Amino acid sequence: MTVVLHAEPALEVAGVFFAALSGGLSAVRKHLDVFGVLVLAGTTGLGGGMLRDVLIGATPPVGITDPVLVATALLSGVAIWFFHPGIARMRRGVVVLDAGALGLFVIVGTTKGLQYDAGMLASVIVGTLTGIGGGVLRDVLTGEVPLVLQDRQLYAVPALLGAGATVLLWHEGWLAAWSATLVALGVIAFRLLSLWRGWVLPDAAQAAWPGPWNGGRRSR
Amino acid sequence: MTVVLHAEPALEVAGVFFAALSGGLSAVRKHLDVFGVLVLAGTTGLGGGMLRDVLIGATPPVGITDPVLVATALLSGVAIWFFHPGIARMRRGVVVLDAGALGLFVIVGTTKGLQYDAGMLASVIVGTLTGIGGGVLRDVLTGEVPLVLQDRQLYAVPALLGAGATVLLWHEGWLAAWSATLVALGVIAFRLLSLWRGWVLPDAAQAAWPGPWNGGRRSR
Amino acid sequence: MTVVLHAEPALEVAGVFFAALSGGLSAVRKHLDVFGVLVLAGTTGLGGGMLRDVLIGATPPVGITDPVLVATALLSGVAIWFFHPGIARMRRGVVVLDAGALGLFVIVGTTKGLQYDAGMLASVIVGTLTGIGGGVLRDVLTGEVPLVLQDRQLYAVPALLGAGATVLLWHEGWLAAWSATLVALGVIAFRLLSLWRGWVLPDAAQAAWPGPWNGGRRSR
């Protein structure tokens, strides 16, 4: 596990930077002021880890104690501030880089849950939350229903599978730098593949079993 | 107190299931996808207890560590997914069952606050929050002003009275399985009675003392 | 530091009262019921400190354990309930008193972060959050994008500078009742001066460097 953790810092910094971009862009779209852009970038880049740390009792969370992570998230906000028209035009690039952040955050988050003895179930949950929590906070702060709950994309699903795989590897004693890297790559590949192939989740209108309990028909 | 806690698990599971239904239904109404329905069910069923546990330092919260509770909340989401037209039509039944969850959550939450030495005031607050917090998170995540703050129904009031009664019983040394059960039944009865009789809270437009400080008149 | 803390209680109570007013007024404007008005007043007056305490692991937070603070926030809600037309007409007075609360909360919050060994960076962040967090929770609970992120006013900036100054004083060994008081007065003066002179932050539409990365033009 130590190996896993030693391999991470540089990548985690990159993950925070790319995740924070989407927060900054959302702030610009909502016409927030410069403080709002920096806060949104910071919250989106660091918020998933902060929710994780509060839930597992790892306080104060790294998202407010680690100068490198905080500076990285703010730098991302500054980049958005000055270059948002250019960055917004690179939408596809931002989505791809964000998939990288997702893969990374899930491994880091799940591993931290395990280290803090949160248990296997809680580690899967906080691992997933590390990946998706920043975006949820971003959307709540900008008055939107969180995208991850409604856009039907496969974003949380690869996160959940990656967190589950990490916990299984740990349980079998196979969690190491190389295996964690494979899981992260798997999360990223699944995410990108789903984007490329246009895979989506069903929404509730399509659900509803047309059985007698439902009056024999689909409806909403 | 031990007696109280030993009597609870099966009932708590039922409470989580019924509370989660309202989250799942809200998700369906907002056209969330399948992940959103499960998350909303989970957050609504388990969120009050999670807020309580974070506030009293009982981390990681049972809402992410207890497999039975988590599975129950997700099962509730699955039930909504398949049978939402039927369940939505049983609106009255859902409201009654949700009153049961309220009564239960308040006792469980207040007792847990006392066990963690949060003090009497904080135990009343986290007990109430255990009852109403899941619905608040549900509404925040779906972009609504929390119903419990605006619908004028007597929902938080019985929760608050029940939490206060539990703390008083504890202070007097009378908290036991039978007395806690009586309090829970009292909360449920008060809630259902208020629904049946149409009792409502005043809203702010009706408040405002028409004194000289207010210019001698009521407004808005 | 002990001196600083001994000087605070009466002022902190005043700060909570005035901060809570804006929450109660917001609740009235949103037509919440009486429970909603009290909860919004409580959340706005005590929420910044609660976020701070959860982040630094000082659980349960004083916002739910301290009877004087809780009673003060509720009293503020009661005042709004009865006198909201009059208080709303004193908008200017509320804004000035709220600046006082801001200055106070930042010093109290930053000092508490330092006391709990959260570190210098985290203490600046939780100090600022103590000042602005209540308003953020108020806006999230009423379905608004937080004012502090979008209204371009210098509200968070004096808070941030005050928190930074407090940490620097502490680092140099100069943090005492008199120096902390000076910082609080500086925060208040800066806030009021910015209101008086109409100083505002830029918003994102005005940012965007017109360089080649942005296509050579400003846009949104």
Side-chain angles (χ1 to χ4, degrees):
Chain A
M1 201 110 72
T2 313
V3 179
V4 176
L5 290 172
H6 284 169
E8 282 160 10
L11 284 171
E12 192 172 3
V13 164
V16 167
F17 186 85
F18 295 122
L21 288 179
S22 83
L25 282 175
S26 179
V28 166
R29 248 174 253 130
K30 290 279 178 174
H31 305 268
L32 302 191
D33 60 34
V34 62
F35 179 73
V37 171
L38 294 176
V39 167
L40 257 280
T43 306
T44 310
L46 303 168
M50 289 173 67
L51 291 175
R52 172 200 63 214
D53 287 353
V54 165
L55 287 175
I56 62 176
T59 53
V62 292
I64 67 171
T65 58
D66 185 325
V68 176
L69 292 184
V70 173
T72 300
L74 294 180
L75 195 68
S76 183
V78 169
I80 289 292
W81 182 255
F82 285 117
F83 306 123
H84 61 84
I87 295 171
R89 242 175 282 124
M90 297 184 293
R91 175 185 297 269
R92 186 182 295 248
V94 172
V95 167
V96 170
L97 293 168
D98 187 73
L102 181 70
L104 209 65
F105 282 178
V106 167
I107 310 305
V108 173
T110 309
T111 308
K112 188 160 184 180
L114 292 168
Q115 285 183 303
Y116 274 76
D117 281 328
M120 293 175 65
L121 175 62
S123 295
V124 170
I125 295 175
V126 298
T128 306
L129 196 58
T130 307
I132 72 174
V136 169
L137 291 177
R138 172 200 66 208
D139 295 340
V140 167
L141 285 176
T142 53
E144 302 288 338
V145 176
L147 259 185
V148 72
L149 303 180
Q150 63 167 336
D151 71 356
R152 306 178 53 197
Q153 289 194 12
L154 290 160
Y155 191 84
V157 170
L160 207 47
L161 293 177
T166 306
V167 165
L168 282 184
L169 286 173
W170 171 83
H171 186 253
E172 300 298 320
W174 297 338
L175 188 61
W178 67 269
S179 60
T181 306
L182 281 184
V183 173
L185 291 175
V187 171
I188 296 167
F190 187 2
R191 168 70 180 141
L192 294 179
L193 199 62
S194 78
L195 282 170
W196 179 46
R197 307 291 299 177
W199 294 338
V200 292
L201 294 171
D203 74 13
Q206 304 165 278
W209 196 341
W213 309 278
N214 279 333
R217 60 194 159 78
R218 292 173 178 240
S219 82
R220 202 182 40 252
Chain B
M1 201 109 71
T2 315
V3 180
V4 175
L5 290 174
H6 283 168
E8 281 159 12
L11 284 171
E12 193 173 1
V13 164
V16 166
F17 186 85
F18 295 123
L21 288 178
S22 83
L25 281 175
S26 180
V28 166
R29 249 176 252 129
K30 291 280 178 173
H31 305 270
L32 301 192
D33 59 36
V34 61
F35 179 72
V37 171
L38 295 176
V39 167
L40 257 281
T43 307
T44 310
L46 304 168
M50 289 173 68
L51 290 175
R52 172 200 65 215
D53 287 352
V54 166
L55 287 174
I56 64 177
T59 53
V62 292
I64 66 170
T65 57
D66 186 324
V68 176
L69 292 184
V70 172
T72 301
L74 294 180
L75 195 68
S76 184
V78 170
I80 289 291
W81 182 256
F82 285 117
F83 307 123
H84 62 85
I87 295 171
R89 242 174 281 126
M90 297 184 293
R91 176 185 298 265
R92 185 181 294 250
V94 172
V95 167
V96 170
L97 293 168
D98 186 73
L102 182 70
L104 207 67
F105 282 177
V106 166
I107 311 305
V108 173
T110 310
T111 308
K112 186 158 184 180
L114 292 167
Q115 284 183 304
Y116 274 77
D117 281 327
M120 292 174 67
L121 174 62
S123 295
V124 171
I125 295 175
V126 298
T128 307
L129 195 58
T130 306
I132 72 174
V136 169
L137 291 178
R138 171 199 67 206
D139 294 341
V140 166
L141 284 176
T142 54
E144 303 287 337
V145 176
L147 260 184
V148 72
L149 302 179
Q150 64 167 336
D151 71 356
R152 304 177 56 196
Q153 290 195 11
L154 291 160
Y155 191 82
V157 170
L160 208 46
L161 293 176
T166 305
V167 165
L168 282 183
L169 286 172
W170 171 83
H171 186 251
E172 299 299 321
W174 297 338
L175 188 61
W178 66 269
S179 61
T181 305
L182 282 184
V183 174
L185 291 175
V187 171
I188 296 167
F190 186 2
R191 167 71 182 140
L192 293 179
L193 198 62
S194 77
L195 281 170
W196 180 46
R197 307 292 296 175
W199 293 337
V200 291
L201 293 171
D203 74 14
Q206 304 166 279
W209 198 340
W213 309 278
N214 278 335
R217 60 194 159 78
R218 294 179 176 233
S219 79
R220 232 217 17 267
Chain C
M1 201 107 74
T2 315
V3 180
V4 176
L5 290 173
H6 283 169
E8 282 160 10
L11 284 172
E12 193 174 1
V13 164
V16 167
F17 186 85
F18 295 122
L21 287 180
S22 83
L25 282 176
S26 179
V28 166
R29 249 175 252 129
K30 290 279 177 173
H31 304 270
L32 301 192
D33 59 36
V34 63
F35 179 73
V37 171
L38 295 175
V39 167
L40 257 282
T43 306
T44 311
L46 304 168
M50 289 173 67
L51 290 175
R52 172 200 64 213
D53 288 352
V54 166
L55 287 175
I56 63 176
T59 52
V62 292
I64 66 170
T65 57
D66 186 323
V68 177
L69 292 184
V70 172
T72 302
L74 294 180
L75 195 68
S76 184
V78 170
I80 288 291
W81 182 256
F82 284 117
F83 307 123
H84 62 85
I87 294 172
R89 241 174 282 123
M90 298 184 292
R91 177 185 296 266
R92 186 181 295 249
V94 171
V95 167
V96 170
L97 293 168
D98 186 73
L102 181 70
L104 209 66
F105 281 178
V106 167
I107 310 304
V108 173
T110 309
T111 308
K112 186 157 186 182
L114 292 168
Q115 286 183 303
Y116 273 76
D117 281 328
M120 294 175 64
L121 175 62
S123 295
V124 170
I125 295 174
V126 297
T128 306
L129 195 58
T130 307
I132 71 174
V136 169
L137 290 177
R138 171 199 68 207
D139 295 341
V140 167
L141 285 176
T142 54
E144 302 287 338
V145 176
L147 259 185
V148 72
L149 302 180
Q150 62 166 337
D151 71 358
R152 305 179 52 196
Q153 290 195 11
L154 290 160
Y155 192 83
V157 170
L160 207 47
L161 293 176
T166 305
V167 165
L168 282 183
L169 286 172
W170 171 83
H171 186 252
E172 300 298 320
W174 296 338
L175 188 62
W178 67 268
S179 60
T181 307
L182 282 185
V183 174
L185 292 175
V187 171
I188 296 167
F190 186 3
R191 167 72 182 140
L192 294 179
L193 199 62
S194 78
L195 281 170
W196 180 46
R197 306 293 296 178
W199 293 337
V200 292
L201 293 172
D203 73 13
Q206 304 165 275
W209 198 341
W213 309 279
N214 279 335
R217 62 194 158 76
R218 291 172 178 240
S219 80
R220 203 187 33 255

